Amino acid sequence: MGLDLHVRDATRADLPAVVDIYNQSIPGGWSTADTAPVSVESREGWFAQFDPARRPLWVAEEDGRIIAWVGLTSFYAGRPAYAATAEVSTYVATAHHRRGVGLFLKRRMIEHCPRLGVTTLVSMHFDHNEATRRMNARLGFEPAGHLPEIAVVGGARRGLLISLLRIPPAEG
Ligand SMILES: CC(C)(COP(=O)(O)OP(=O)(O)OC[C@H]1O[C@@H](n2cnc3c(N)ncnc32)[C@H](O)[C@@H]1OP(=O)(O)O)[C@@H](O)C(=O)NCCC(=O)NCCS
């Protein structure tokens, strides 16, 4: 049961699909600090910060439909000392969870990091987000911090886990 995904840089035309996949994760209450669906308009600025050469946003298509995305954003507001550090976010459409799509896409982005000049990836997620915790463990992320009970999601206090992955720089 192999995956046949076409992975490419996202374009502005993909933003509605990217936002839709993001919104699918909100009701579960274990993925994002947003508690209500976001609009495409509200994500224009977020989308504009991506850059295929340094901080890509990729979409994964299956049979011509976007079913997942992975993106890198600059860490700590992009201050210069963090130039080689990026935060990674991975979202898979709910109907396609647990098929290995998230693992495949995140691994592909990790492999690409040397070409982006990224040597440290940061993953931040709620401490009850078991899927991301397991995915990160498979990919070699190391737990680096836990901020207990700093969010309230659906009335429950949730903590934030921070994990790091070190990536050898490109040679030459
Ligand atoms: C996190 C997410 C990207 C994982 O994608 P996925 O394609 O469903 O995951 P995979 O099929 O590649 O599985 C990766 C690992 O997570 C585990 N996993 C996946 N969903 C799980 C779940 N609901 N509960 C427990 N473990 C789960 C898998 O078993 C696998 O671990 P294993 O190899 O040790 O068995 C997906 O659940 C998602 O989009 N969630 C909403 C968005 C989110 O939370 N993003 C992270 C914040 S940036």
Side-chain angles (χ1 to χ4, degrees):
M1 186 199 68
L3 287 172
D4 186 12
L5 298 177
H6 176 51
V7 180
R8 60 171 176 80
D9 285 305
T11 69
R12 171 60 186 80
D14 301 322
L15 187 55
V18 166
V19 168
D20 178 54
I21 290 170
Y22 180 80
N23 282 337
Q24 289 176 28
S25 75
I26 295 175
W30 41 271
S31 302
T32 167
D34 276 307
T35 51
V38 302
S39 66
V40 172
E41 296 70 39
S42 75
R43 299 302 270 186
E44 294 277 9
W46 171 82
F47 180 79
Q49 75 189 318
F50 290 102
D51 164 9
R54 286 194 69 248
R55 301 288 185 260
L57 176 65
W58 290 347
V59 290
E61 289 176 316
E62 185 177 60
D63 299 329
R65 288 177 62 95
I66 294 172
I67 64 163
W69 57 264
V70 60
L72 297 190
T73 48
S74 290
F75 185 70
Y76 223 140
R79 293 183 217 181
Y82 294 108
T85 298
E87 184 180 346
V88 59
S89 301
T90 313
Y91 282 75
V92 177
T94 311
H96 297 276
H97 280 186
R98 304 205 86 152
R99 294 179 54 212
V101 175
L103 195 63
F104 171 87
L105 208 48
K106 201 164 182 172
R107 182 175 282 137
R108 169 93 64 109
M109 184 60 90
I110 291 166
E111 289 166 358
H112 196 64
C113 276
R115 267 166 281 167
L116 302 169
V118 171
T119 55
T120 301
L121 276 183
V122 182
S123 175
M124 296 201 255
H125 59 87
F126 288 137
D127 51 14
H128 64 303
N129 188 338
E130 184 66 11
T132 301
R133 200 187 60 70
R134 286 177 70 157
M135 191 165 61
N136 283 349
R138 282 279 293 262
L139 292 168
F141 281 77
E142 302 273 359
H146 182 216
L147 309 180
E149 299 190 358
I150 61 160
V152 178
V153 188
R157 288 180 181 276
R158 302 297 190 185
L160 183 72
L161 276 177
I162 304 169
S163 307
L164 299 182
L165 181 72
R166 306 293 183 186
I167 301 164
E171 287 177 19

